[in-house]
Amino acid sequence: SKTRPAPRQITLDGGTEDRELLERYISSESGRRVRLTVPQRGEQAQLAAMARTNAQEKLNQLAARPDRNGRALGEIGRLLGLAAPPSYIEAYDISHTAGTSVVAGMVVFENGRPLKSAYKRFSIKTVEGVDDYACMREVVGRRLARLRQAVDSGEQAAYGFGRVPDLILLDGGRGHVSAVRPLLDEYGFRIPLFGMVKDSHHRTRAIARDGGEIAINASRGAYTLVSSIQDEVHRFAIAYHHTAARRRGFASRLTLVPGIGPARAKALMRHFGTIEKLRAAGEKELAAVPGMTRRAAGELAAFLSRPDGL
């Protein structure tokens, strides 16, 4: 690390090749003399032994994790009556504040672990006001439409919208499941669909299905994994909601600038993507946005440069 100097002494639990060469290299990088030692007794030897033990325990935990996840997926498969453990799971959650800045998040778990490269964010486009069922229908419908397109064109993929999930989980109960299930028939997919139900303390309580619920508390592995999935999709959706709300407030402040109306404010946010990139843009870059004029770009650039600006 260039930000933290190496300690004056580094204790090893065994010998290493070219120790003197390694000492010289670390010393030259840190700008001071650093000694490598291999103690045989005393406190340093005990610390080295402790470090080795801790490393071995961590290695054992990592080696056991795939087996633990495999058992949990097997439990989920048995509880839900699936033909095989669901190795590729998608989960969805809706987030908003009193019906404003409504967004959704989709997370993916592959083999029991988050696959963050496959996460997706959605802005709600067709639903007005507070209607979680309709929002969930829109989001899952858009996802299934993309999947149908990928399947029909032969463009299926290892992950993303081109991958058929083994299981879809919704943050919600039977109402959410009933609202979304007809979409599976509409697009011609037989994908298992269930809801994740929370108790009054916002902890995962059960899996929802058409006509009832499946208790999962007694299956420790399934309970832990489903809870992790529900917590992760909730976190992801809320994080995007906060970003969307911030962008919306910023876009509304843009309309204070002469020549910038709602349409131009929206175009600016769409073009630059983030508030930070918009703030860093020069007048020429602002003028290049579709719908902008040179005069409006000048007004906006001047406003952004003011200490009391945006």
Side-chain angles (χ1 to χ4, degrees), residues 80-244:
L80 304 185
L82 307 182
S87 63
Y88 195 88
I89 301 172
E90 291 180 0
Y92 296 81
D93 189 18
I94 306 296
S95 183
H96 60 83
T97 302
T100 63
S101 301
V102 187
V103 300
M106 179 192 96
V107 303
V108 174
F109 275 60
E110 185 174 39
N111 297 323
R113 303 183 68 180
L115 182 62
K116 295 194 175 184
S117 59
Y119 286 17
K120 301 293 182 183
R121 303 184 299 182
F122 301 83
S123 294
I124 302 302
K125 299 179 178 179
T126 64
V127 181
E128 298 290 338
V130 182
D131 191 337
D132 278 8
Y133 296 162
C135 290
M136 194 69 83
R137 272 185 59 84
E138 178 191 324
V139 170
V140 179
R142 286 161 57 185
R143 190 270 181 271
L144 293 176
R146 293 284 297 276
L147 178 60
R148 182 77 270 165
Q149 182 181 11
V151 171
D152 291 345
S153 62
E155 297 178 353
Q156 290 179 257
Y159 63 90
F161 285 147
R163 170 74 181 263
V164 179
D166 300 316
L167 173 65
I168 293 177
L169 296 174
L170 311 177
D171 188 80
R174 285 174 288 174
H176 291 82
V177 175
S178 297
V180 171
R181 186 172 298 285
L183 294 171
L184 294 171
D185 296 329
E186 179 182 335
Y187 287 101
F189 292 111
R190 296 179 61 83
I191 302 171
L193 174 71
F194 294 87
M196 299 178 290
V197 184
K198 292 180 180 178
D199 61 19
S200 58
H201 300 287
H202 300 284
R203 294 189 296 252
T204 304
R205 177 174 59 82
I207 295 286
R209 60 181 177 183
D210 292 331
E213 294 181 356
I214 302 170
I216 61 173
N217 295 31
S219 301
R220 191 64 193 174
Y223 172 80
T224 300
L225 182 53
V226 172
S227 296
S228 298
I229 293 172
Q230 190 169 28
D231 290 344
E232 176 66 358
V233 72
H234 187 62
R235 178 203 65 78
F236 185 64
I238 285 180
Y240 183 41
H241 167 66
H242 289 165
T243 299

Side-chain angles (χ1 to χ4, degrees), residues 63-82:
R65 183 177 296 171
D67 291 338
R68 185 168 65 247
N69 289 341
R71 288 194 297 270
L73 292 170
E75 289 179 13
I76 291 174
R78 288 190 294 273
L79 284 169
L80 304 185
L82 307 182

